[in-house]
Amino acid sequence: MSLDQIKKYRDEAFHHLTNELLPFWENRCVDKENGGFITHFDNAGNDSGEDEKSLIAQTRTVYTFSAAHRAGYGEGRYAEIARHGVDFLIEKMWDNEYSGFYWLMDRKGNVKIDEKIVYGLSFAIYALSEYTLATGDPRGLEYAEKVFDLIQIHGADIHYGGYFEMFHRNWDLKGEGAAGGDRKTLDAHMHLMEAFTTLYEASGKQVHRRKLMEMIELLINKIMHPEYGTGIPQFWADWSVAPQIKFDIIWGWDRFSEDGFKSAAEDNTSYGHNVEFAWLLMHALDIAGVPYEKYEEQLLKSYNHAVENGIDWEFGGVYVEGSHSGEVYDREKEFWQQAEVIIGMLDAYRVYKDEKYLKAYDATHRFVFDHMIHSSVGEWLPLLTRQGEPIWTHMSHSWKVNYHSVRSMVQGIIRLEKLLAQAEK
């Protein structure tokens, strides 16, 4: 790929980010009446009226505006929007009796679900740490450290390692099956790695780095497939593989069967997750000061499996998921997998210089800009057919907010500029 093409992609991403994507959120999401953020928008970008504010959507939006401000966008406006969100998190979503953040509120800030869910709490650590790094406001790090400590006290499994994930308000572990108290997931542990990375970056504390390195070792040695290096979604407490089921408290609109089990429940992996894990691992190693070479085998397995099996070389983009051994199960195109592959393939090419990664980036970038971005509104469509026709058409709800799309553009631009700088030396 020529330098002119890389510049074209950088410029295309910058235009989308600054003229469409960030303005979409800046002009819609701030709830001036009740605090926090409105995060449910229909295909036209109108408020859909959903009466909820989820921990996921609130923290991810704090992260988005904090990270955008830290990256140099918004001329200070985004720092103020992030501060507005942090005020809501601390004043409304924090449980003053048992500590931790509630899972779900209504628009006015009344509690709808009072449970403590580690997946959501990981994003609280991530977002609040990023907020302090971006603004210098010490409240972010203060509450990020509080959540970190709570997870160590109540969530850590000192027998088998890792963390339990589903708790009642008082931090009693929830029950078995769909309640989720007897399972552990790739999702929560990967996002804890992401959270601990930014927490350590903000705090500089040795304990945060140590827990980050423990999480990296656990992910690679327990959660990634021993042969293929691909992510396994769900486990029992002892890290034996569990059939993937739908929890009562769900993250995302994953497509399960009516009985709550996923097809190929014990043999499925997400191409987007695998690439997201790889680039988050590289970032964690950067912050921890560890060379990539220590985990090169895992990094290459994660990237190569996606290139060889997950990229749609005919229509562009990345498929949803398939078998660990390579067979594709779901050829639809979901927004967040595209976003993570855009970042990851640029990292893979930057470090390993193999043109196949740049070609995978090209295929995904082009699919997103040609099919997934709803340009007249500014955000991304959530789910498309393999060929690029819309299946779901809303712009946002609790699970599809701004974290993946904005981060993809912010981090993609940073990496494209690194490639240009390398080429100009």
Side-chain angles (χ1 to χ4, degrees):
M1 190 183 297
S2 68
L3 281 181
D4 286 344
Q5 184 63 60
I6 293 174
K7 288 178 181 176
K8 179 182 175 183
Y9 279 153
R10 190 264 320 267
D11 294 346
E12 194 172 23
F14 183 81
H15 178 271
H16 170 54
L17 176 66
T18 57
N19 291 284
E20 297 172 348
L21 196 50
L22 284 169
F24 176 94
W25 291 100
E26 180 180 1
N27 295 333
R28 288 172 172 80
C29 75
V30 176
D31 186 341
K32 296 178 181 178
E33 180 181 356
N34 301 302
F37 302 116
I38 296 167
T39 55
H40 291 68
F41 301 104
D42 64 18
N43 181 254
N46 298 317
D47 179 358
S48 68
E50 189 72 30
D51 185 27
E52 68 175 44
K53 288 176 177 167
S54 72
L55 180 58
I56 292 297
Q58 299 302 306
T59 53
R60 285 179 167 182
T61 305
V62 167
Y63 169 82
T64 291
F65 283 104
S66 299
H69 172 71
R70 191 179 170 198
Y73 300 98
E75 299 178 324
R77 301 188 309 277
Y78 298 157
E80 291 305 311
I81 294 173
R83 184 173 289 111
H84 173 85
V86 170
D87 290 344
F88 184 82
L89 283 172
I90 293 172
E91 295 167 11
K92 295 288 189 177
M93 298 197 82
W94 184 259
D95 182 347
N96 288 310
E97 182 175 356
Y98 292 104
S99 295
F101 290 106
Y102 297 118
W103 179 250
L104 190 68
M105 320 288 285
D106 67 14
R107 285 202 180 197
K108 293 182 178 179
N110 301 304
V111 180
K112 294 180 75 171
I113 298 177
D114 62 12
E115 294 175 351
K116 308 296 165 58
I117 309 299
V118 166
Y119 181 87
L121 295 171
S122 73
F123 279 98
I125 296 172
Y126 186 49
L128 290 165
S129 299
E130 183 72 22
Y131 170 72
T132 291
L133 286 164
T135 67
D137 185 338
R139 294 181 303 159
L141 182 57
E142 175 191 352
Y143 277 84
E145 290 194 80
K146 285 182 179 182
V147 175
F148 172 86
D149 292 345
L150 287 164
I151 291 173
Q152 306 309 318
I153 293 167
H154 299 291
D157 181 352
I158 60 174
H159 184 61
Y160 292 113
Y163 297 86
F164 294 107
E165 302 177 20
M166 305 286 207
F167 298 89
H168 296 290
R169 180 189 176 192
N170 66 355
W171 290 97
D172 284 348
L173 189 63
K174 293 180 67 177
E176 300 177 350
D182 60 346
R183 293 183 185 238
K184 297 170 182 173
T185 66
L186 160 66
D187 228 351
H189 286 79
M190 183 180 76
H191 290 300
L192 284 172
M193 176 183 74
E194 172 185 51
F196 293 174
T197 299
T198 307
L199 177 61
Y200 173 59
E201 186 180 5
S203 76
K205 290 186 177 179
Q206 191 266 350
V207 66
H208 298 149
R209 184 185 187 279
R210 180 160 52 85
K211 290 298 178 183
L212 169 60
M213 296 310 299
E214 288 176 8
M215 183 60 66
I216 289 171
E217 290 291 329
L218 183 139
L219 280 156
I220 291 172
N221 295 315
K222 297 290 188 183
I223 295 179
M224 308 310 284
H225 194 285
E227 179 180 356
Y228 299 107
T230 45
I232 300 170
Q234 288 184 18
F235 299 85
W236 302 113
D238 64 359
W239 295 108
S240 56
V241 178
Q244 190 178 7
I245 63 169
K246 188 176 184 179
F247 297 128
D248 293 336
I249 299 290
I250 61 168
W251 27 91
W253 281 15
D254 291 330
R255 280 142 287 162
F256 289 81
S257 60
E258 291 183 2
D259 63 6
F261 282 85
K262 200 159 194 172
S263 59
E266 294 190 52
D267 180 25
N268 68 88
T269 192
S270 163
Y271 308 109
H273 256 159
N274 295 334
V275 174
E276 183 180 15
F277 166 73
W279 84 256
L280 286 173
L281 173 58
M282 293 175 90
H283 179 59
L285 297 174
D286 286 340
I287 298 302
V290 177
Y292 299 148
E293 289 78 11
K294 183 173 181 180
Y295 299 102
E296 185 173 282
E297 180 181 1
Q298 175 62 60
L299 289 167
L300 289 172
K301 282 183 176 180
S302 296
Y303 286 130
N304 291 342
H305 186 275
V307 170
E308 293 162 10
N309 303 290
I311 299 296
D312 184 345
W313 295 108
E314 182 178 357
F315 293 102
V318 59
Y319 301 125
V320 170
E321 67 183 21
S323 166
H324 295 285
S325 62
E327 180 187 356
V328 181
Y329 296 155
D330 188 338
R331 295 179 185 273
E332 291 172 346
K333 310 288 172 61
E334 200 165 8
F335 75 102
W336 67 265
Q337 287 99 335
Q338 319 306 313
E340 299 308 319
V341 167
I342 280 174
I343 303 171
M345 290 303 160
L346 289 173
D347 262 348
Y349 179 71
R350 174 179 61 87
V351 173
Y352 299 114
K353 305 302 183 189
D354 191 322
E355 288 288 328
K356 68 184 179 185
Y357 301 128
L358 205 52
K359 290 177 180 176
Y361 166 79
D362 175 77
T364 309
H365 177 113
R366 198 69 270 139
F367 183 86
V368 167
F369 277 80
D370 290 347
H371 301 288
M372 190 155 272
I373 294 171
H374 191 5
S375 294
S376 64
V377 178
E379 243 292 345
W380 298 19
L381 292 161
L383 186 69
L384 308 179
T385 65
R386 180 188 180 193
Q387 293 80 10
E389 294 301 317
I391 298 173
W392 296 339
T393 60
H394 56 273
M395 289 291 95
S396 176
H397 56 54
S398 283
W399 298 109
K400 185 202 174 291
V401 280
N402 38 53
Y403 154 76
H404 288 289
S405 55
V406 174
R407 186 173 71 170
S408 177
M409 294 296 100
V410 170
Q411 294 300 321
I413 290 165
I414 289 170
R415 284 154 178 78
L416 289 164
E417 289 180 343
K418 284 182 179 179
L419 292 177
L420 291 170
Q422 286 177 356
E424 291 168 358
K425 285 183 179 180

